[in-house]
Amino acid sequence: MGDRPRPRRALRAPGQGGVARGLVELKFRHRVTGLSRSAGAVDTVTGEILEPSSIERGQGSSRTVTGSFELKAQAVIVTSGGIGGNHDLVRANWPERLGTPPEKMLSGVPAHVDGLMLGITENAGAHLINRDRMWHYTEGIENWNPIWDKHGIRILPGPSSLWLDARGERLPVPLFPGFDTLGTLDHIMKTGYGYTWFVLNQRIIGKEFTLSGSEQNPDLTGKSVRGVIDRARADVPAPVKAFMDHGADFVIEKDLPALVRGMNALAEKSSGPLIDEAALRSTLVARDREIVNPFTKDLQVTAIRGTRKFLGDRLIRTAAPHRILDPKAGPLVAVRLNILTRKSLGGLETDLSSRVLTEGGEPLPGVYAAGEAAGFGGGGVHGYRSLEGTFLGGCLFSGRTAGRAAAAATG
């Protein structure tokens, strides 16, 4: 569901109920490696059994094979997700329109979202389409307490941070924080560097930074009204403060010279120092000067003032306009932003019954697909863009359609 906390409880209860009634059997540590047919339909799933693994948080589980398995069924439904956990596959399918893929990316999905099942289904005769349609975020930061390898968290920013490329140049209009993900990604890839910067202060970060993921939003996932109110009242919400204290991408300093030194220390080693203090000061002073100008020509300042006309944003989402260099609003903060893999918008081509199609457009007998594996429906129902909760709708409706169609076909 984009970056909102996912309704796991609502989905978990029916599954657990099916297990209790003997209708569902869960096969943990079973890795599918093949699909095959008998009597014309795909009805056999084969694979490897992996050894039990008891690992610490943030570590990869064992891939040691201890056996094999074979399962028979009247229908196979593929719901294995996309390719975001496999950066090599992301790069191989990177769209030409976005130039050269970045050397470094963070993962917004677990490592098991590796595209393996998509290849297996394709080998069985399925047709994969729209492989270059993908949705990645530009505001990724390394999780200081990761669940999986290269675990990234997305910042859902308010409008006030100054957004700079790796060389300290301000991103062009209208590429402001939270405005246009694909447009920003296209621009970043043309700079020759795979990262950018937010420059702001503590007053802005406390009001405007929201982090993606259930763990970063305990008030929402815990359904705590008091927690939401406390978050709005806090100088800096606790999850954000934890990143300020421990995050590898954060530089926090009282003055600009120290901030620039910290930013350059985080720059790619091959590039050397890229941020010039005098140039950055000039950019900040020019931006700050427009804050006091009611007839500003700075369109980002205009956007900040516009968002505060909505009561919700004014209360909990957008800081009151002020100078970034105002000492009373400090300390200064710089955040290195990485490309964060997220969603595959293409996938297995399916019809309106979620049946997987072959290259010739005929159904692959016995095989259905739903969710991200099917491009959220059809192999790319969203086109080149999607956002937040629209992902969840495609998962739910394609899953319901696949279930109903498979049940009807197997009678």
Side-chain angles (χ1 to χ4, degrees):
M1 183 182 171
D3 291 291
R4 304 293 188 233
R6 303 181 183 185
R8 292 184 176 91
R9 281 184 286 254
L11 302 177
R12 185 188 304 131
Q16 291 175 334
V19 172
R21 296 195 303 272
L23 300 176
V24 176
E25 185 176 358
L26 303 177
K27 296 283 189 180
F28 297 106
R29 306 293 291 162
H30 284 55
R31 179 170 61 188
V32 176
T33 58
L35 300 176
S36 57
R37 309 182 186 209
S38 63
V42 175
D43 60 359
T44 304
V45 176
T46 55
E48 301 165 336
I49 301 174
L50 306 180
E51 70 175 359
S53 181
S54 178
I55 56 167
E56 297 297 324
R57 174 188 171 109
Q59 297 179 354
S61 60
S62 169
R63 290 299 183 263
T64 300
V65 177
T66 61
S68 61
F69 69 91
E70 179 179 293
L71 300 172
K72 292 276 190 177
Q74 294 170 281
V76 175
I77 303 178
V78 179
T79 57
S80 56
I83 64 173
N86 184 338
H87 293 182
D88 289 338
L89 198 53
V90 169
R91 293 187 184 95
N93 289 285
W94 191 264
E96 291 185 8
R97 64 185 181 279
L98 293 180
T100 303
E103 293 182 8
K104 176 188 175 182
M105 292 184 281
L106 300 179
S107 291
V109 294
H112 67 257
V113 186
D114 57 6
L116 177 63
M117 195 66 218
L118 295 177
I120 291 169
T121 312
E122 184 179 28
N123 290 338
H127 188 212
L128 278 169
I129 60 173
N130 301 320
R131 298 172 192 253
D132 68 337
R133 296 185 186 180
M134 49 185 70
W135 187 266
H136 306 309
Y137 286 112
T138 54
E139 312 98 334
I141 52 177
E142 292 184 33
N143 191 349
W144 66 272
N145 188 19
I147 299 175
W148 55 77
D149 185 39
K150 298 183 179 66
H151 186 183
I153 297 293
R154 184 204 172 196
I155 298 170
L156 286 73
S160 301
S161 298
L162 192 68
W163 204 341
L164 309 173
D165 67 19
R167 295 164 297 192
E169 298 289 333
R170 195 171 178 182
L171 268 59
V173 175
L175 304 183
F176 308 137
F179 271 55
D180 182 355
T181 294
L182 280 189
T184 305
L185 180 60
D186 176 58
H187 177 79
I188 292 171
M189 292 299 95
K190 291 176 181 176
T191 68
Y193 299 91
Y195 68 97
T196 55
W197 293 98
F198 278 165
V199 174
L200 59 158
N201 56 40
Q202 181 158 309
R203 186 180 299 174
I204 293 173
I205 200 172
K207 188 87 166 185
E208 298 194 5
F209 269 33
T210 300
L211 303 175
S212 66
S214 300
E215 284 198 322
Q216 309 303 326
N217 297 274
D219 50 345
L220 299 181
T221 56
K223 300 181 180 180
S224 171
V225 175
R226 179 178 293 277
V228 174
I229 295 173
D230 289 344
R231 182 205 292 220
R233 290 175 173 172
D235 288 338
V236 179
V240 176
K241 184 62 166 61
F243 272 89
M244 293 177 69
D245 292 340
H246 307 294
D249 297 300
F250 285 71
V251 181
I252 303 170
E253 297 290 351
K254 291 184 178 180
D255 57 62
L256 189 61
L259 189 79
V260 170
R261 288 194 297 271
M263 293 170 70
N264 283 328
L266 286 183
E268 294 176 351
K269 293 181 180 180
S270 59
S271 64
L274 294 175
I275 306 298
D276 178 76
E277 181 191 337
L280 179 54
R281 185 181 297 277
S282 177
T283 299
L284 285 166
V285 168
R287 180 266 184 202
D288 285 354
R289 188 167 51 236
E290 294 300 307
I291 286 291
V292 298
N293 179 7
F295 302 105
T296 179
K297 299 298 178 66
D298 188 314
L299 293 184
Q300 184 176 1
V301 175
T302 300
I304 294 169
R305 291 173 177 165
T307 59
R308 285 181 57 83
K309 292 182 178 180
F310 175 62
L311 181 60
D313 281 351
R314 185 183 185 91
L315 291 176
I316 64 172
R317 195 73 180 109
T318 306
H322 65 281
R323 294 183 297 115
I324 291 178
L325 290 176
D326 183 352
K328 296 179 181 179
L332 293 171
V333 180
V335 185
R336 181 181 58 185
L337 307 173
N338 307 277
I339 305 303
L340 177 70
T341 65
R342 193 62 178 172
K343 299 297 182 188
S344 307
L345 298 183
L348 295 166
E349 186 178 12
T350 58
D351 64 12
L352 295 179
S353 296
S354 290
R355 296 181 297 179
V356 172
L357 302 180
T358 66
E359 187 173 359
E362 299 297 322
L364 181 62
V367 183
Y368 304 79
E372 190 177 358
F376 301 95
V381 68
H382 292 301
Y384 289 94
R385 293 177 180 266
S386 186
L387 200 60
E388 313 304 350
T390 50
F391 290 127
L392 179 62
C395 287
L396 293 178
F397 286 108
S398 63
R400 184 180 68 171
T401 298
R404 288 177 172 177
T410 58

